[in-house]
Amino acid sequence: MNFCSYTRKSIYSDHSDSIDNQTRMCREYIDMKFPGQVDTFIEYSDEDFTGANTNRPDLKRMLSDIKDGLYDVLVVYQLDRLSRDVRDFANIYAMLEEHGVKFISIKENIDTSTPIGRAMMYVTVVFAQMERETIAARVTDNMIGLAKKGYWVGGNPPVGYVRKRITINGKQHCTIEQDPSGVEHVKWIFSTFLENNYSLQQMETAFKRQGIKTVRGGFFSTTRLHQILSSPFYVEATPEIYDYYEKKGCQMDPGSPREKWDGTVGVMIYGRTTEKGGVHRLQKPDKWLVCLGMHEPFINAEQWLEVQDRFAKNKFDKTMKYDVPLLKGVLRCSCKTLMGVSRKKKKYGVGSWYYCVKRTRQGPEACNSHHIKCEVLDEKMLDILRSIQKDPKTIQNYVDKNVDNQETPDPKKAASKVASCEAKIGRLASSLALAADSTAQKYIVAEMERLDLELQALKREHSIALASERRTAAEKKGTDAKVKEIIRMMDNLDSFSAKEKNEIMRDIVKECIWDGESLFITL
């Protein structure tokens, strides 16, 4: 049987069992419950990752390997190591059942082969989620309390401010204070935006042409400019600003009534953004808690409101007016940056063009690639797909044959080494019985201990070889499936919409790189 274990230690806790301890207990459990039945045992672990979501590298790798049919049994030390979210856990367990993989949780000792066992498993996960949500609620309540007092609770401060530690009633808190050079930088951006009547795209282009860069040395993007120009922390907290946020539907702090908004301090907002999977996203205004801060503002209310009014008038429709290019979201340039798509009139004519986003953002010194017409590269890709349609064996020219460039041992040879080592230990055990009370006894024992360590290493080598063999077989299945999908698309090319063709490309292409002359494809 083929076993795998999954272990996790949260970034928030130093009290949970270590990765090594969890792995050891999983291994000991398997050896005890399945003696002589272990063909392979592979470990997967994620350290400093929360169980609130499945965005964990080794968990994703393990689930992918399970889908490829590499394992018969998954063992975890405790259910919440796998997930603390009921929906995520249910999805994972459904996938395990779909692929015939038995699931074992050591601590709960739950038998999932019975209805009552499965019910108890879900009850346990529900309580794990409740514990996580209770902890998160306590943290949120504490943050809200600090925000209402005007303290800084938002991580890195905006450009123009630096964090400052203060002590109040014997307790340390964090606020922000002005950074003179940053203040002048932000003030200049606000005035430049208004005086030139720029749109964000016009401002980005103008800054690039003039070589104006951010405090970190990169070129400004429209996203970065919008972040600065819409930041609430710069503006004076006046009655007009209070009315602005109240009209947006924000939660206004009852402890900071409108009459207190006299412009002497800045605005503090909690809950304006949320983080998921390492990405910060702006929440809807009804999630924002708007309070009075402790920090000193430096943008007057009239100027700040004029900028926000400009944004409201300049909103644009992001719905694509033209067909999605075949390689959109797939193609990368030689610097490995995902290439964007623009539709502009250039000296070569009107059309859609792939371009390096990094070069656009940071200038030609960051990347030397140039834009290229979408139809040129799309046709190159279709030529490759036509060759595979004509001769399916051609796909081997575009398959990554050795992902890690490491030679794996032959399973049969590895098994032979294991058997040979076990035979040596057996012979030494027989000799030990005959050498009782002999001076040779200690040498025999020492040699047996050395061989035992060698045996464990050989078994590990054998497990890796078997897993590699199964993975190769699984990859062949995946390659065959891609061939069928390519033939299906090319046989019915005209019946697919541009969007559907693009979605197929996203499914079948692992890597697609344009170096300015050649297109490199890995399927």
Side-chain angles (χ1 to χ4, degrees), residues 136-192:
R138 285 202 299 265
V139 172
T140 299
D141 289 344
N142 183 52
M143 292 296 187
I144 288 174
L146 293 174
K148 286 181 176 181
K149 293 178 180 178
Y151 300 128
W152 177 254
V153 294
N156 291 327
V159 178
Y161 288 103
V162 292
R163 278 191 294 258
K164 179 184 179 183
R165 286 285 177 185
I166 58 174
T167 303
I168 297 179
N169 297 327
K171 290 185 178 180
Q172 275 206 340
H173 297 288
C174 185
T175 185
I176 52 177
E177 65 178 0
Q178 292 183 12
D179 168 34
S181 60
V183 167
E184 292 306 312
H185 180 71
V186 172
K187 282 183 175 180
W188 179 80
I189 290 175
F190 269 82
S191 60
T192 301

Side-chain angles (χ1 to χ4, degrees), residues 197-209:
N197 199 27
Y198 280 138
S199 69
L200 287 174
Q201 186 60 63
Q202 290 170 339
M203 195 171 187
E204 176 189 326
T205 303
F207 278 13
K208 285 195 182 92
R209 287 174 178 168

Side-chain angles (χ1 to χ4, degrees), residues 75-202:
V75 182
V76 297
Y77 166 65
Q78 189 173 335
L79 282 173
D80 65 5
R81 299 302 87 196
L82 191 62
S83 178
R84 282 179 174 263
D85 183 271
V86 175
R87 183 176 58 182
D88 288 341
F89 183 85
N91 290 338
I92 292 172
Y93 185 68
M95 188 272 289
L96 295 177
E97 285 192 314
E98 180 184 345
H99 291 84
V101 176
K102 184 176 180 180
F103 176 67
I104 296 173
S105 178
I106 298 172
K107 191 170 182 180
E108 289 85 4
N109 194 25
I110 293 174
D111 182 3
T112 57
S113 64
T114 66
I116 189 67
R118 287 192 292 274
M120 289 302 297
M121 176 181 66
Y122 282 112
V123 168
T124 302
V125 176
V126 167
F127 277 104
Q129 177 171 326
M130 184 177 69
E131 180 187 14
R132 173 179 62 82
E133 290 175 350
T134 300
I135 293 170
R138 285 202 299 265
V139 172
T140 299
D141 289 344
N142 183 52
M143 292 296 187
I144 288 174
L146 293 174
K148 286 181 176 181
K149 293 178 180 178
Y151 300 128
W152 177 254
V153 294
N156 291 327
V159 178
Y161 288 103
V162 292
R163 278 191 294 258
K164 179 184 179 183
R165 286 285 177 185
I166 58 174
T167 303
I168 297 179
N169 297 327
K171 290 185 178 180
Q172 275 206 340
H173 297 288
C174 185
T175 185
I176 52 177
E177 65 178 0
Q178 292 183 12
D179 168 34
S181 60
V183 167
E184 292 306 312
H185 180 71
V186 172
K187 282 183 175 180
W188 179 80
I189 290 175
F190 269 82
S191 60
T192 301
F193 180 73
L194 292 174
E195 288 169 6
N196 293 277
N197 199 27
Y198 280 138
S199 69
L200 287 174
Q201 186 60 63
Q202 290 170 339

